[in-house]
Amino acid sequence: MAVKEFNSNKIKRTFWPFTLKDKTDEDGEITERGKKILVRMPKKGVFEAIKQIQTEEEEETDITAVYDIMEAVLNNNMNRAHIKREDIEDYDIEECSAILEAYMAFVDQLKTNPN
C-alpha cells in the first residue's frame, strides 16, 4: 500500500476580501479610495484575542486591544500591504466592532462548510 504524501503548502486557503475606508480631507472630499486587500484566516493568538473581546462586557473592553486586533487582522493579508496604525485609528469603535463581527462571521463560516 502506497502512502500518499501530504503537503501543507497545497492546502486550499480561504480569504476575506476587505476594502479599507476611503481617505477624506477636512471638507469630506475623497482624497484616496480605500485599498482592497485579501485577509487571511487568523492565527491562534489573534483568534483567541477576538474571542476574548467578544466575551467581555462592553464597558470592560480595552479600546487599545480592539485597535491592536484590527491591526493584526488587517496586516495578515495576501497583498502584503502594511496597514498603518494611524489608518486603523481613523475607524471609530463602532466601525471596528462591525469589522470584527464580519471577520468572525467569515471565520465561523469555514467551520460550518463541510468542504
Side-chain angles (χ1 to χ4, degrees):
M1 178 168 150
V3 176
K4 187 174 179 178
E5 176 187 0
F6 182 83
N7 186 338
S8 294
N9 296 312
K10 296 192 179 200
I11 296 173
K12 184 180 178 219
R13 307 282 181 193
T14 305
F15 303 100
W16 185 51
F18 183 83
T19 304
L20 293 161
K21 192 170 165 177
D22 295 338
K23 293 185 181 181
T24 58
D25 59 17
E26 301 82 35
D27 300 325
E29 298 292 320
I30 296 173
T31 58
E32 184 182 327
R33 290 275 175 208
K35 190 184 315 183
K36 293 181 184 212
I37 58 175
L38 293 173
V39 179
R40 295 180 174 120
M41 293 298 282
K43 294 196 171 138
K44 182 180 184 284
V46 173
F47 182 78
E48 289 173 348
I50 293 170
K51 286 295 190 184
Q52 175 67 34
I53 283 180
Q54 287 179 331
T55 60
E56 289 178 358
E57 294 295 323
E58 206 168 295
E59 52 278 349
E60 292 177 16
T61 302
D62 178 14
I63 302 304
T64 304
V66 172
Y67 286 98
D68 290 343
I69 292 169
M70 284 279 297
E71 186 173 12
V73 166
L74 297 179
N75 276 306
N76 184 26
N77 65 74
M78 284 297 295
N79 311 61
R80 294 193 173 140
H82 177 68
I83 312 303
K84 296 180 205 149
R85 181 63 175 236
E86 305 88 66
D87 294 336
I88 294 169
E89 289 176 350
D90 283 344
Y91 292 89
D92 63 33
I93 194 66
E94 194 172 48
E95 292 168 320
C96 291
S97 294
I99 291 166
L100 291 175
E101 281 180 34
Y103 183 63
M104 286 311 293
F106 158 71
V107 171
D108 288 341
Q109 87 180 6
L110 190 65
K111 287 190 234 174
T112 59
N113 184 356
N115 296 327

